[in-house]
Amino acid sequence: MHVQIVKDPAAGGVAGFKVFQQALAAGAKVFGLATGSTPISIYDQLTASDLDFSQLTSINLDEYVGLGSDHPQSYRYFMQHHLFNAKPFAHSYVPDGLNTDADTETKRYESIIAANPIDLQLLGLGRNGHVGFNEPGTAPQSTTHKVALTPSTIAANARFFDNADEVPRYAYSMGIGTILKAKQILIVAYGAEKAAAVAAMLQGPVTADVPASFLQTHPNVTVILDEQAASQLK
């Protein structure tokens, strides 16, 4: 695992952009993408660049069950706003949050990934070591699946909705096994609140208690951290 420590998220965006740039130059055709605040500085760099993704494919990690693509809190909407409107891909896949048949939707999504092997997968890191919606206890061989969101996640998301009943209780997410099939992985973490998870991911045992620790088993992982997120590394 190649670890790069930067001053702040803005510098992390520049460093992450370079990883995308190098992957594109090396012939990458399929990019796995993530949502949340962490990748925004990378997406800002991409949208401001002259890189062309119009002949390429993107595949997102996850989506809330019950939210359509036009819902402002859906991950499809997030991607349109932060990347796709400025940098369209030939094909952009996000799980269909309105498909309530979990077996059908997860199998459909796995078939998309099998047909479009991911060259570079972007990840954020949760405070408890989760990646995507793969919470502690997720099996390393897991594929795309329906996840029951934790009470803390539901509570944290409540501020984005008019009332508590609207907050999604489930999501579709790539599994750990699916993520590990990517040829290259880029994981990014910022802030002191991520420091313990970073140390467990990089220097702790490989365990389902810290899903991100399974990245230690992958042959090509780049880790971008700000100084605070790296503060507990030995």
Side-chain angles (χ1 to χ4, degrees):
M1 299 174 81
H2 172 69
V3 179
Q4 185 173 355
I5 299 174
V6 297
K7 181 180 180 181
D8 53 29
V14 174
F17 168 80
K18 290 179 180 177
V19 175
F20 271 77
Q21 187 178 42
Q22 290 164 359
L24 195 58
K29 302 295 185 186
V30 182
F31 291 84
L33 302 177
T35 55
S37 59
T38 299
I40 289 177
S41 61
I42 295 177
Y43 294 153
D44 287 345
Q45 291 290 322
L46 291 174
T47 58
S49 76
D50 60 359
L51 296 185
D52 181 12
F53 297 98
S54 63
Q55 303 301 312
L56 307 180
T57 297
S58 72
I59 303 179
N60 262 74
L61 271 172
D62 41 29
E63 178 61 283
Y64 290 120
V65 174
L67 300 189
S69 60
D70 59 348
H71 193 289
Q73 298 306 324
S74 75
Y75 286 168
R76 165 68 80 169
Y77 190 99
F78 175 100
M79 293 305 305
Q80 288 294 147
H81 176 72
H82 288 287
L83 185 63
F84 296 156
N85 288 340
K87 291 290 180 181
F89 287 71
H91 304 283
S92 290
Y93 298 105
V94 180
D96 180 3
L98 294 182
N99 186 354
T100 56
D101 185 333
D103 186 59
T104 298
E105 180 58 22
T106 55
K107 287 180 178 177
R108 182 190 74 88
Y109 211 64
E110 276 294 309
S111 69
I112 290 170
I113 298 166
N116 301 274
I118 295 171
D119 294 300
L120 174 63
Q121 176 66 60
L122 174 62
L123 300 172
L125 176 68
R127 297 184 187 189
N128 62 358
H130 75 246
V131 287
F133 277 115
N134 296 289
E135 298 290 343
T138 304
Q141 67 272 23
S142 59
T143 58
T144 301
H145 57 294
K146 184 179 180 180
V147 183
L149 303 184
T150 63
S152 61
T153 297
I154 294 169
N157 288 344
R159 69 186 187 277
F160 299 122
F161 294 85
D162 292 335
N163 64 73
D165 292 338
E166 296 180 7
V167 183
R169 265 54 178 177
Y170 296 91
Y172 292 128
S173 178
M174 287 187 200
I176 298 293
T178 306
I179 291 168
L180 292 175
K181 290 179 182 177
K183 296 171 188 173
Q184 180 181 4
I185 294 173
L186 168 62
I187 185 165
V188 185
Y190 306 128
E193 68 275 10
K194 301 290 181 71
V198 166
M201 171 180 70
L202 294 177
Q203 298 177 337
V206 176
T207 170
D209 292 337
V210 182
S213 68
F214 290 114
L215 298 180
Q216 294 180 37
T217 68
H218 193 280
N220 189 3
V221 179
T222 300
V223 185
I224 296 176
L225 311 169
D226 69 359
E227 294 169 354
Q228 290 184 322
S231 62
Q232 292 188 28
L233 292 176
K234 299 175 183 178

